[in-house]
Amino acid sequence: MKMSQLDRQLFNEVMVPNYAPAEIIPVRGEGSRLWDQQGREYLDLACGIAVTSLGHCHPALVQAMAEQSRKLWHISNVMTNEPALKLAKRLTELCFAERVFFCNSGSEANEAAFKLARRWGNNQNPEKNEIISFYNAFHGRTLFTVSVGGQEKYTKGFEPLPGNITHLPYNDLETLADHISERTCAVVLEPVQGEGGVTPATETFLRGVRELCDRHNALMVFDEVQTGNGRCGALFAYMEMGVTPDVLTTAKGLGGGFPVGAMLTTAKLAETLAFGTHGSTYGGNPMACAVAGAALEEIAKPETLANVRARSAQLQAGLEAIGRRYGMFEGVRGLGLLIGAPLTEAWKGRAKDVVGAGLRHGVWLLVAGPDVLRFAPALNITEADLAEALRRLDTACAELAGAAKAAVA
C-alpha cells in the first residue's frame, strides 16, 4: 500500500527535498519483518542500509536501552561514562585496536580518521598530506568525506573541495604503486565497496596496499562502516582478508539501529589526536554505548557469525537461481551478508524497478547504483525467513519479466 496523500503532502511541506522516500511508511518491526501503516508485512533485506544488524527490536537491545534510559542519557565528553568505557574495552579485546574514538555516524568516524591521517602526516613532514582513495568509494556526506569518496555525483556543486586527495582505480595495484609516494599520508579503502556496486577487494590488492603503505610510511585506513560488525562473516572484514589496517572506522551495525560510530586505532597513532584536537558532543553517549555494547555481544557470538556464513550461501544460491530463471542478473558477488546482484545488459539501469516490484510483493531490498541490487539482511535472519524473502523476490522478478515480454510482443 502507498503512503497516504496527506502523508506525502506533509513530507513535501516540512522536509528538505534531498530524499525520495519509498511509497510506504513502516510503523513497526520485529526481527526481519516490518509492518506499514495499513498493517501489511514486509521481509526486510535492507536493514536500514546494513544498520539493524540484529533485526528490529532485538530483545537484548531493547533491554539495554530501557535499563540505561533510567540511569543516564547524556553528559558530554567533559566526563566519561561507564557504558563508553565498557564498549571501548570490549572493542579493543576483539580486534587489533588499542584506542577508540566514539562519534555518531560513519561520516564522523571517517572524518576523525582522515583528520588523524592528515595531522599524523604533517607531524612527519608538512608536505606529507596526500590522501589516496578509489573511484566509486563512499565514505560519508560531510565535505571532507564526500571529497575522499570517489563519486563525482556526490561532490558536484559543492566546490571548492578539500585538496590533496587522489582517486585511483579500485583493485588496481599497479596504478597505486605508480602514484603512492613519500607525500602520501594515507590510503583509504573499503574492503567491499558498498555504494559503489558491492565490489570486494581482492586479497592480492589488499596485501599489496599494505606493503606499499609500509614502504612509503603511509597509514592504511579501512572504512568498515558497512562491512564491519559481523556483516561479512567475521567481526570485521579485515579479519577475513589477511591484512590489518592502521586505522579502522565503523558505524551502521555497531548500534543495531541506534546512532553510534567509532574510529579504532593503535595507541601510538592515537597520540596524534591529543587533547583539544578533535571532539564530538554526543560521541560516547551513554545511551548509544549501552545499546552498542549489547549489540556487540550478540554479534560476536560464534553462532551469529556462523549464521551469516550459512545465510550468505543460501542468499547467493537463491539469487543465482532467480537470475538464471529470468535473465535479470548474473555474477552475484559480495562477502557474508553484503551481497550485490549486477543486472544483465537487458536490465541495465532498472535496479530501482526491481526494488519497487519487490516492495509490492512484500520484500524490501536496496540498490548500489542503477545497475546493481544490494542485499544486507539481518545477521540473524532465519533460513525460513530468507527462503520466504527469495520466494517473494522471485514473484516480483517474474512480474517484471512478464511485463517486459508482453511489451516486446
Side-chain angles (χ1 to χ4, degrees), residues 29 84 101 120 175 313 336-337 347 362:
F101 169 81
W120 176 84
T175 301
L337 284 176
W347 289 89

Side-chain angles (χ1 to χ4, degrees), residues 251-323:
K252 286 191 181 288
L254 179 61
F258 202 101
V260 62
M263 180 192 70
L264 313 176
T265 189
T266 64
K268 183 64 176 175
L269 286 173
E271 294 174 1
T272 305
L273 292 183
F275 177 74
T277 57
H278 193 54
S280 172
T281 298
Y282 284 96
N285 175 279
M287 287 285 287
C289 289
V291 176
L296 183 60
E297 292 305 323
E298 292 294 323
I299 291 167
K301 288 179 178 179
E303 55 266 38
T304 302
L305 298 176
N307 189 68
V308 172
R309 293 187 285 272
R311 300 289 74 76
S312 176
Q314 180 187 1
L315 178 56
Q316 291 189 64
L319 291 173
E320 288 167 356
I322 294 171

Side-chain angles (χ1 to χ4, degrees), residues 63 163 172 188 193 205 213 227 245 264 274 281 315 339-340 366 387:
Q63 181 179 348
D172 185 340
V188 179
Q193 287 192 330
F205 179 65
C213 285
T227 59
L264 313 176
T281 298
L315 178 56
I339 300 297
L366 299 163

